[in-house]
Amino acid sequence: MLSPDSSRPALVTAIGRSWPILLLYGVVALGFGIAAVGWPLSAATALAWVLGVMAIAEGVISLLALISGGSGAPRGWLLLYALASLGFGVLAIVNPLATASVLVLLLAVWLLLAGLYRIVFAIRVRKQIQGEWLLILSGLLAVVLGVLLAANPVAGLAVTTLWIGIGSLVYGVLQIVVALKLRKLT
């Protein structure tokens, strides 16, 4: 281990001491990335389940804030939020694959709307801009992707999870590299 350089600013030394946290993030991200690429539907189910647990925790905390009365939020909204969080959380835990599939369907609807908006926008401003065909093409691609996701949400879920897994692998490797570089600062 390198000894800290006395000419090195304290902030740099403090940042260097955070390397184990970044290493842990990187290892966890790599683990999730491997799971998501190897077993995409299982990873999507696990993600939906974890979101369900988090939503239930949020709902319970919101109910406790409602009972204690010190949240600052209007009581009606807080109750609605708590019940919505608890409802989503229970649904995600009881049937995580269906919950994840519904989220993919919402993504499909958003892609359809976004694609149509881009196409209409490009047509409306075609006289003011050049290359409007690129905007139309991106809109068409969004519509096609939205239709594909809506037609087969489970396959869309698997592909989406694969992309998230690949991103997680890249993120994990980068975090580990940064952690090892920061380790040298301590």
Side-chain angles (χ1 to χ4, degrees):
M1 190 156 112
L2 298 173
S3 61
D5 185 359
S6 60
S7 66
R8 185 177 293 149
L11 177 62
V12 171
T13 303
I15 290 171
R17 279 182 269 177
S18 68
W19 75 268
I21 295 169
L22 295 175
L23 182 65
L24 179 63
Y25 286 162
V27 169
V28 169
L30 272 179
F32 174 75
I34 290 168
V37 169
W39 306 275
L41 290 178
S42 296
T45 301
L47 275 175
W49 192 85
V50 167
L51 286 174
V53 169
M54 291 171 46
I56 287 175
E58 184 76 20
V60 169
I61 291 168
S62 297
L63 282 178
L64 292 174
L66 179 68
I67 292 167
S68 71
S71 73
R75 295 178 64 77
W77 284 109
L78 192 56
L79 178 62
L80 178 65
Y81 178 69
L83 293 176
S85 295
L86 290 170
F88 173 77
V90 168
L91 178 64
I93 287 174
V94 170
N95 198 344
L97 189 57
T99 302
S101 295
V102 168
L103 293 175
V104 169
L105 285 173
L106 289 174
L107 175 61
V109 170
W110 176 75
L111 284 167
L112 285 168
L113 292 173
L116 292 173
Y117 171 78
R118 286 183 201 142
I119 293 166
V120 169
F121 178 74
I123 291 170
R124 294 188 87 194
V125 298
R126 70 183 179 277
K127 293 180 181 174
Q128 287 82 24
I129 64 171
Q130 290 182 352
E132 74 281 355
W133 67 272
L134 290 170
L135 204 53
I136 292 171
L137 180 62
S138 77
L140 288 173
L141 290 174
V143 167
V144 168
L145 184 57
V147 168
L148 290 173
L149 289 177
N152 194 343
V154 174
L157 181 61
V159 170
T160 302
T161 306
L162 279 171
W163 280 108
I164 291 170
I166 291 167
S168 186
L169 288 171
V170 171
Y171 174 80
V173 168
L174 293 175
Q175 287 293 97
I176 291 170
V177 168
V178 168
L180 295 176
K181 287 187 180 283
L182 287 178
R183 181 177 167 211
K184 294 177 182 177
L185 295 176
T186 58

